[in-house]
Amino acid sequence: MKFRGVMTAVSGAAMAAGSAHAQNAAPAPEPTTVDTPAATTASSKNRDIVVTARRLDEARAAIQPSLGATSYGVTNETIQALPGGDNQQFNQIVLQLPGVVQDGFGQFHVRDDHNGLQYRINGTILPEGIAVFGQTLSPRLIEKFDLLTGALPAQYGLRTAGIIDITTKSGFANGGQVSLYGGSQGMIEPSVEYGGSTGSTNYFVSGDYRHSDRGIESVDGSATPLHDKTNQGQAFVYVDHILSDNDRVSFVGGYSDQYFQIPNPRGLQPDLGYSVNGQTDYLSNDLDERQHERTAFGQLAFLHHADRLTLQASLFARYSSLRYTPDITGELLFNGQAQSALKRDVNVGGQVEGAYRLSDTHTLRGGVVIQRDRSTSDTSSYVFPLDDSGAQVGEPFAIGDAQGKTEMIYSAYLQDEWKILPRVTFNFGGRFDAYDGYRAEHQFSPRANIVWQPTGMTTLHVGYARYFSPPPFSNIATTSVARLAGTSGAAPSTENTAAFAERQNYFDVGLSQKLGGGFTATIDGYYRRSHNLIDEGQFGAPIILTPFNYRVGTIRGAEFNLTYQRGPWLAYGNFAAAKAKGKDIVSSQFSFDPADLAYIRNHYIYLDHDQTYTASAGISYAFRDGALAGTKLGGDMIYGSGLRKDGDVPNGGSLPAYAEFNLSLSHKFANPGIGVRLDVVNVTDKTYLIRDGSGIGVGAPQYGQRRGVFVGVTKDI
């Protein structure tokens, strides 16, 4: 048998999706006075700073409005309302949004795409990294975030399945909190956050540490996975300084250091017939594989807002590294090879974007982004020498391979928001993207969206977007396939075409309707036709995803969202249906079985991350009066009809459907400033498969989290 380690897990899902709607963003409003506790108790100068900061935040948001895209919004208050609060990891929050599918590695898929996500923090792009298990961003830093998808306007490119646009906390009121959270599976998580202001400078910092005996999904469904510990530390800082009523400079930085054991299956022995210095037996319980991931990022931005012009110029950088440490003897006996791997990636760039209000009916927006990405890889592959019949003819030896590559990306866009009629907006434009790395490709991509608001309660949008998505540079496999020929690590073939950029035609139509009484409903449908559709898979023991292309692919689906928010109640429900297929694998062919390649060359197959039906829901109630004032009750759930597995053909079957339910109870004692909470994850202790180890590019079985009980206490400081 072949053994491969597995990947990620988290404690429960949590949150309520805000109303989903097609946004028709207006130019930034002029200053207004907002009475808040911070404003009414601060000095007149501090009050002016608060108002100026909020006006500049609104101006920044107006540079990059969604303008006809589908938008789902989440606030910090919503994050706190349901199980886990901001103690959970960020991917679990996103799973509560429409059309988001759960996967292993802590991954999720938006509209059946594979990781085609771009993160932005306060309007500035966060470059891609190479972390697999770890979550770089903590919910503690988030004031609110939006998931934008569909036919995106021209300011969004390169990664277009979904834009996760984060607005960070920024302090203003001097104070913060310390907390301690933990429970099942040996989980303990202390954290601290603090924000405030000094003169015209505002700041927010946070940090947390997490230890758990369940760092990654179990490979056997056990409530106590074997060899699955994790230690994770995260830190974040935000600082801004208001230079004048119209100008602000800000800095955002973060660091994460995360260590994972790779969980072991129980009771297995190798059966490939190999021997290491006479040893042929090795109990799978004793395997010791580990992965260490580090990420650091920084963003420096200058924002200017005048009468007609709003401009933000940013510099950004991200460093990430991944080190996989194998169990050399065990992996040689189980797999015929063992590979130690160290990958590093450094991405730096600049971004300038602006909006100019040409007239009452026309607002021009444009921007330029330049990125430089340097990726290095250093691997040692331990393999057996084989004779022509495939029999072992000696003791294992190591083959080293160290490589590096640099990629440049250039992007520019221009668009016009044209208010054709008071209730009809036409946003049209285009962007140009080019990259030069393992390949050099480019494309001009037109975009067009029409938003019609026939009444104050109804919004319709129709959009078209041409997309261009280069393959994820830091994940491209750099190992020389030919070096392993004649060994137990030899690939099925030596064909290794470099990955292509994906080119898409994307169509989207949607309706948002306020129903009255606190209810809002949205429905959205989409169709995407791709050339060189990008997918990713795990093809070796190191938990590193490798991109590859289907020559053609189609993805289509529909989403429905219903939200209710009134008084102490917050509730939502989401349902999505999707179908994703591809044909003819045209890159990284060495990773695949030749029989699979031959079949896929002439037949459409489901993508391995396709899930036909996905749903989520949540509800919370906040007691505001009486003896229970300060108490919140909540619950949420996720449902999946099952990801793909192999059947009669590759990815031809699907895993069983599942539903996971989570509950939460919290109370805030106002006078001492102490909060307590109790969360129960997977209340029914449902044992369910996320992956069964089969399918194109799937490395090992992965099970959802078993029941967990977690408690927390928080103290204001």
Side-chain angles (χ1 to χ4, degrees), residues 477-533:
T478 57
T479 302
S480 297
V481 179
R483 294 192 183 194
L484 300 177
T487 74
S488 55
S493 75
T494 58
E495 188 177 7
N496 185 20
T497 305
F500 299 89
E502 180 176 355
R503 303 169 190 266
Q504 308 171 29
N505 289 301
Y506 199 113
F507 303 88
D508 184 276
V509 58
L511 167 69
S512 175
Q513 179 68 49
K514 295 180 180 179
L515 304 174
F519 286 96
T520 301
T522 67
I523 187 168
D524 200 274
Y526 59 92
Y527 174 79
R528 164 182 144 188
R529 178 79 176 178
S530 295
H531 179 64
N532 290 330
L533 182 147

Side-chain angles (χ1 to χ4, degrees), residues 533-655:
L533 182 147
I534 294 175
D535 200 350
E536 294 181 339
Q538 182 209 342
F539 299 106
I543 315 304
I544 301 170
L545 299 180
T546 300
F548 63 94
N549 300 95
Y550 291 92
R551 182 175 55 83
V552 291
T554 61
I555 299 179
R556 62 180 185 271
E559 299 167 353
F560 176 76
N561 166 260
L562 179 66
T563 63
Y564 175 77
Q565 189 165 8
R566 190 168 188 176
W569 288 100
L570 175 64
Y572 65 93
N574 305 308
F575 177 79
K579 183 174 290 188
K581 289 186 172 184
K583 183 172 75 170
D584 192 9
I585 293 174
V586 292
S587 64
S588 302
Q589 297 93 332
F590 72 94
S591 299
F592 300 91
D593 181 272
D596 287 345
L597 281 177
Y599 179 85
I600 298 168
R601 185 172 296 116
N602 299 307
H603 299 83
Y604 276 96
I605 65 167
Y606 286 100
L607 306 187
D608 70 279
H609 53 270
D610 170 81
Q611 182 163 270
T612 304
Y613 302 115
T614 305
S616 59
I619 187 169
S620 71
Y621 182 84
F623 293 89
R624 298 180 176 178
D625 302 302
L628 293 178
T631 300
K632 293 182 180 179
L633 295 171
D636 65 15
M637 63 84 66
I638 57 172
Y639 165 84
S641 62
L643 296 176
R644 310 304 301 185
K645 67 175 182 177
D646 282 341
D648 294 335
V649 299
N651 297 342
S654 61
L655 294 171

Side-chain angles (χ1 to χ4, degrees), residues 235-251:
F236 173 81
V237 60
Y238 169 86
V239 180
D240 75 48
H241 181 73
I242 296 175
L243 302 172
S244 69
D245 288 348
N246 297 325
D247 301 289
R248 178 175 66 190
V249 63
S250 62
F251 173 79

Side-chain angles (χ1 to χ4, degrees), residues 106-181:
Q107 294 181 98
F108 54 86
H109 307 289
V110 175
R111 293 190 169 184
D112 267 10
D113 199 294
H114 197 289
N115 287 348
L117 301 171
Q118 182 181 99
Y119 291 81
R120 295 192 176 210
I121 301 178
N122 297 336
T124 299
I125 293 172
L126 177 63
E128 296 176 332
I130 53 178
V132 178
F133 302 139
Q135 300 290 312
T136 301
L137 301 175
S138 167
R140 289 186 176 86
L141 64 88
I142 297 173
E143 181 61 31
K144 68 182 183 74
F145 78 90
D146 296 291
L147 171 62
L148 308 178
T149 186
L152 301 170
Q155 66 262 34
Y156 301 112
L158 303 178
R159 299 289 172 259
T160 51
I163 309 297
I164 296 180
D165 191 8
I166 295 170
T167 300
T168 63
K169 297 176 182 177
S170 55
F172 300 129
N174 293 327
Q177 63 180 27
V178 293
S179 69
L180 183 64
Y181 187 77

Side-chain angles (χ1 to χ4, degrees), residues 387-465:
D387 62 20
D388 292 341
S389 68
Q392 178 183 346
V393 293
E395 293 301 320
F397 64 100
I399 298 175
D401 195 353
Q403 299 189 31
K405 186 72 172 177
T406 300
E407 178 179 78
M408 296 296 299
I409 299 178
Y410 309 92
S411 303
Y413 72 89
L414 181 66
Q415 63 186 351
D416 180 19
E417 178 188 349
W418 178 18
K419 219 166 182 55
I420 300 174
L421 297 170
R423 294 186 178 273
V424 178
T425 301
F426 179 41
N427 187 66
F428 64 97
R431 65 178 290 129
F432 177 81
D433 297 289
Y435 78 99
D436 187 356
Y438 290 99
R439 286 186 176 278
E441 299 181 88
H442 62 271
Q443 179 177 286
F444 174 76
S445 305
R447 310 283 179 86
N449 280 286
I450 295 178
V451 180
W452 177 36
Q453 295 177 293
T455 71
M457 305 285 282
T458 304
T459 303
L460 297 98
H461 70 268
V462 177
Y464 164 78

Side-chain angles (χ1 to χ4, degrees), residues 16-32:
S19 61
H21 55 281
Q23 297 182 6
N24 177 23
E30 293 305 307
T32 56

Side-chain angles (χ1 to χ4, degrees), residues 11 84 87 140 179-190 209-212 677-680 708-713:
S11 67
N87 299 289
R140 289 186 176 86
S179 69
L180 183 64
Y181 187 77
S184 298
Q185 293 94 38
M187 204 275 271
I188 185 167
E189 183 176 350
Y209 169 81
R210 172 186 288 238
H211 170 84
S212 176
R677 68 181 305 133
L678 170 66
D679 300 310
V680 183
V709 180
F710 304 91
V711 296
V713 59

